[in-house]
Amino acid sequence: MRFTYAEAMTDPANYVPLAKAAEEAGFDCMSIPDSVAYPEESSSTYPYTADGNREFLADKPFIETFVLAATLAAVTTKLHFVPFVLKLPIRPPVLVAKQTSSLAAISGNRFSLGVGISPWPEDFEIMGVPFEKRGKRMDECIQIVRGLCAGGFFGFKGEFYEFDPISLTPAPTEPVPILVGGHSEPALRRAVTLSDGWMHAGGDPVELDKMLDRITALRAEHGMTGPFQIHVASLDAYTTDGIKRLEDKGVTDVIVGFRYPYVAGPDTEPLADKITHLQRYADKVIARSK
């Protein structure tokens, strides 16, 4: 099992010391939050809160995803980083490929690309991208990023994007894992057919089991037997017995955090307490699970 430390919507000054502490404690990876902007007015709902309320996001600090990942990679040597998750189809895919390949190359292959579809039409509107057919656009984006990050010349012709063969230099010396987040049937199918793994955002353990079963069925349907990463946010990740249960279900990575971030107002938890939480978890769970 691999262990990912999650922290988001906190004082930006916390990230560097937290990344250093997570690496020293024995975490394998740290997740990077993503948000472009917060609209003044919106009728959209948030899919991962019980009532769909998104007002907790008001005034929350978000450092741009690739900027934050590069900053933390520069002050660590072993820790990996993964967006959880990057809103891919609102962005130009060639630019994302350049950012991804550059970060993977300069960090020594310590970057994976977690991607998802933003649920909010405003994200698409402010970036000048149609909200319609966002799923198909997402599929093309993944193919473009994968093709360009592989090195050599790559061209593409699809419904939304078309370009003659180009190359991005430098290319990383290892393939960049692409992971798809989302709980819907299209997201699970996309993860299986177009990516290297799936990212779970938490919730009911019964629903998680159903999604894991569906991933297994989809992989069998498509004749896929190779490695496949499954990143899960689950209460089972907080005990050694729970880690064993998740391993038995095929989970490869657990995502753990130590506070509930979906509340209004600033994060008031002291940095020292955050470091104590991750160190305590490392002693009680990571050290006893490896």
Side-chain angles (χ1 to χ4, degrees), residues 45 54 58 94 121 212 290:
T45 59
R54 58 178 278 171
V94 174
L212 292 175
K290 288 193 172 182

Short mmCIF file of all heavy atoms in Angstrom, two decimals, residues 45 54 58 94 121 212 290:
data_model
loop_
_atom_site.label_atom_id
_atom_site.label_comp_id
_atom_site.label_asym_id
_atom_site.label_seq_id
_atom_site.Cartn_x
_atom_site.Cartn_y
_atom_site.Cartn_z
N THR A 45 -24.10 23.23 -7.73
CA THR A 45 -23.97 22.52 -6.46
C THR A 45 -22.67 21.74 -6.43
O THR A 45 -22.10 21.41 -7.47
CB THR A 45 -25.15 21.55 -6.24
OG1 THR A 45 -25.19 20.61 -7.33
CG2 THR A 45 -26.46 22.31 -6.17
N ARG A 54 -21.78 24.95 -1.79
CA ARG A 54 -20.39 25.23 -2.16
C ARG A 54 -19.88 26.53 -1.56
O ARG A 54 -18.78 26.99 -1.89
CB ARG A 54 -20.26 25.27 -3.69
CG ARG A 54 -21.14 26.30 -4.36
CD ARG A 54 -20.95 26.34 -5.86
NE ARG A 54 -19.79 27.13 -6.21
CZ ARG A 54 -19.28 27.20 -7.45
NH1 ARG A 54 -19.82 26.48 -8.42
NH2 ARG A 54 -18.24 27.93 -7.71
N ALA A 58 -15.81 29.99 -0.55
CA ALA A 58 -15.59 31.43 -0.65
C ALA A 58 -14.35 31.85 0.14
O ALA A 58 -14.18 31.48 1.30
CB ALA A 58 -16.81 32.17 -0.12
N VAL A 94 -2.71 20.74 -24.81
CA VAL A 94 -1.28 20.78 -25.15
C VAL A 94 -0.49 21.49 -24.05
O VAL A 94 0.60 21.08 -23.68
CB VAL A 94 -1.06 21.44 -26.52
CG1 VAL A 94 0.43 21.61 -26.81
CG2 VAL A 94 -1.71 20.61 -27.63
N PRO A 121 -20.58 24.67 -14.59
CA PRO A 121 -20.52 25.35 -15.89
C PRO A 121 -19.67 26.62 -15.86
O PRO A 121 -19.07 26.99 -16.87
CB PRO A 121 -21.99 25.67 -16.18
CG PRO A 121 -22.77 24.67 -15.39
CD PRO A 121 -21.96 24.43 -14.15
N LEU A 212 -15.75 -0.32 -6.83
CA LEU A 212 -14.62 -1.23 -7.02
C LEU A 212 -15.04 -2.46 -7.82
O LEU A 212 -14.30 -2.93 -8.70
CB LEU A 212 -14.04 -1.63 -5.67
CG LEU A 212 -13.35 -0.52 -4.87
CD1 LEU A 212 -12.94 -1.04 -3.49
CD2 LEU A 212 -12.14 0.03 -5.61
N LYS A 290 3.80 -1.52 6.30
CA LYS A 290 4.76 -1.75 5.23
C LYS A 290 5.74 -2.87 5.61
O LYS A 290 5.92 -3.20 6.77
CB LYS A 290 5.54 -0.45 4.92
CG LYS A 290 4.67 0.59 4.22
CD LYS A 290 5.52 1.70 3.67
CE LYS A 290 4.68 2.63 2.79
NZ LYS A 290 5.47 3.71 2.17
#
